[in-house]
């Protein structure tokens, strides 16, 4: 069987996007890493939020081998993905005004903490209000979004604003409106989305920058090891004990 032309085209497109964010977002990645390091050093807590497929990149940095133990998922029930039935409910909840404020008020997040909000379009009420309300609560907000949506679509929030308008730091994933990298003759819809690949890479780059910043300040980054290597469970147990008051996925 010959190699797939379209598969190769998708991988090339994804690599091209990764090269763009490496080159064009380096300053913002470093700034996000520094903000995370600031929060860790000051005794704050870290949170990540995303709805729908954007939640995948948030989940990928929580309780993760090689990741910061202090990163917690700020979950909004019903919006995490296709585990909710019907799956379309999550999309509907993203457009509900007031939901973000209710979630923040009942969460452990407080002033001095940091929240990474992931939303590809950044146009729905939930991520917009999450960013706005988090900043009002005294959190540092890092947004990971596609700025192209803010330039080419209309906000679904009553303010007319987008996620990018309510963040301290914005990382642009460079994903085109529609989130589909390929078109081909005989296939009616565009296909092959790359947002998960690129957004997850941005999240891990941000975490790497944070670890680098912490070491430069003489602070051991509170990283987790794989539980599938010898000594991993013991290592993780020590880290989780030391930082128990800043880890919420064990409670």
């Amino acid at each position: 069987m010959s190699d797939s032309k379209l598969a190769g085209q998708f991988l090339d497109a994804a690599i091209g996007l990764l090269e763009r964010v490496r080159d064009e977002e380096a300053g913002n990645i470093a700034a996000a890493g520094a903000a995370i390091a600031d929060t860790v050093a000051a005794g704050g807590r870290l949170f990540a939020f995303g709805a729908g497929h954007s939640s995948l990149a948030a989940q990928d940095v929580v309780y993760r081998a090689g990741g910061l133990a202090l990163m917690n998922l700020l979950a909004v029930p019903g919006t995490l993905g296709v585990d909710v039935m019907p799956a379309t409910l999550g999309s509907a909840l993203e457009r509900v005004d007031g939901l973000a404020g209710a979630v923040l008020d009942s969460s452990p997040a407080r002033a001095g903490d940091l929240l990474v909000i992931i939303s590809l379009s950044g146009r729905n009420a939930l991520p917009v209000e999450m960013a706005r309300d988090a900043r009002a609560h005294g959190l540092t907000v890092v947004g990971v979004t596609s700025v192209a949506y803010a330039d080419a679509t209309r906000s679904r929030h009553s303010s007319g604003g987008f996620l990018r308008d309510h963040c301290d730091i914005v990382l642009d994933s460079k994903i085109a409106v529609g989130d589909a990298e390929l078109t081909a003759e005989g296939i009616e819809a565009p296909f092959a989305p790359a947002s998960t690949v690129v957004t997850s890479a941005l999240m891990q780059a941000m975490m790497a920058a944070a670890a680098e910043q912490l070491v430069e300040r003489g602070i051991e980054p509170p990283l987790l090891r794989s539980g599938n290597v010898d000594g991993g469970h013991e290592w993780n147990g020590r880290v989780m004990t030391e930082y128990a008051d800043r880890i919420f996925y064990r409670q």
Side-chain angles (χ1 to χ4, degrees):
M1 181 179 295
S2 61
D3 294 341
S4 169
K5 177 182 176 182
L6 291 179
Q9 288 179 0
F10 170 74
L11 292 170
D12 287 343
I15 291 167
L17 285 163
L18 290 171
E19 289 177 338
R20 281 193 66 194
V21 298
R22 179 197 64 198
D23 297 340
E24 298 173 21
E25 295 300 305
N28 294 325
I29 292 168
I36 292 170
D38 289 342
T39 305
V40 172
R45 293 85 59 81
L46 307 173
F47 297 89
F49 164 76
H53 285 93
S54 291
S55 74
L56 296 175
Q59 294 178 57
D60 190 47
V61 295
V62 177
Y63 187 47
R64 182 71 161 85
L68 289 172
L70 306 190
M71 184 60 74
N72 301 277
L73 185 68
L74 185 64
V76 178
T79 68
L80 285 182
V82 295
D83 58 324
V84 178
M85 297 299 289
T88 50
L89 175 62
S91 298
L93 289 173
E94 285 190 68
R95 304 180 189 184
V96 174
D97 291 340
L99 181 57
V103 168
L104 280 169
D105 287 344
S106 61
S107 79
R110 65 189 185 194
D113 293 344
L114 180 142
L115 172 61
V116 182
I117 300 176
I118 305 162
S119 174
L120 178 62
S121 73
R123 67 189 297 226
N124 289 309
L126 184 55
V128 172
E129 291 185 357
M130 187 72 77
R132 181 197 66 189
D133 293 357
R135 290 180 83 189
H137 280 70
L139 279 76
T140 298
V141 176
V142 177
V144 184
T145 188
S146 169
V147 171
Y149 276 84
D151 294 334
T153 68
R154 296 180 62 184
S155 170
R156 290 184 174 134
H157 188 246
S158 56
S159 69
F162 285 76
L163 169 62
R164 71 169 185 179
D165 301 319
H166 300 281
C167 298
D168 297 288
I169 302 165
V170 175
L171 278 66
D172 182 6
S173 64
K174 316 296 181 183
I175 300 294
V177 174
D179 192 18
E181 293 302 315
L182 302 183
T183 57
E185 185 176 352
I187 301 176
E188 294 300 319
F191 58 101
S195 60
T196 303
V197 174
V198 178
T199 302
S200 291
L202 279 169
M203 293 295 289
Q204 295 299 344
M206 191 191 312
M207 299 304 131
E212 181 180 31
Q213 284 273 341
L214 287 167
V215 168
E216 290 177 356
R217 302 177 195 197
I219 299 171
E220 174 68 25
L223 296 168
L224 296 173
R225 292 178 180 264
S226 171
N228 295 312
V229 299
D230 292 342
H233 284 299
E234 292 76 14
W235 171 280
N236 292 341
R238 289 193 298 270
V239 172
M240 290 182 183
T241 298
E242 181 177 353
Y243 292 96
D245 62 330
R246 299 157 75 179
I247 296 173
F248 302 100
Y249 49 81
R250 295 190 71 191
Q251 300 176 4

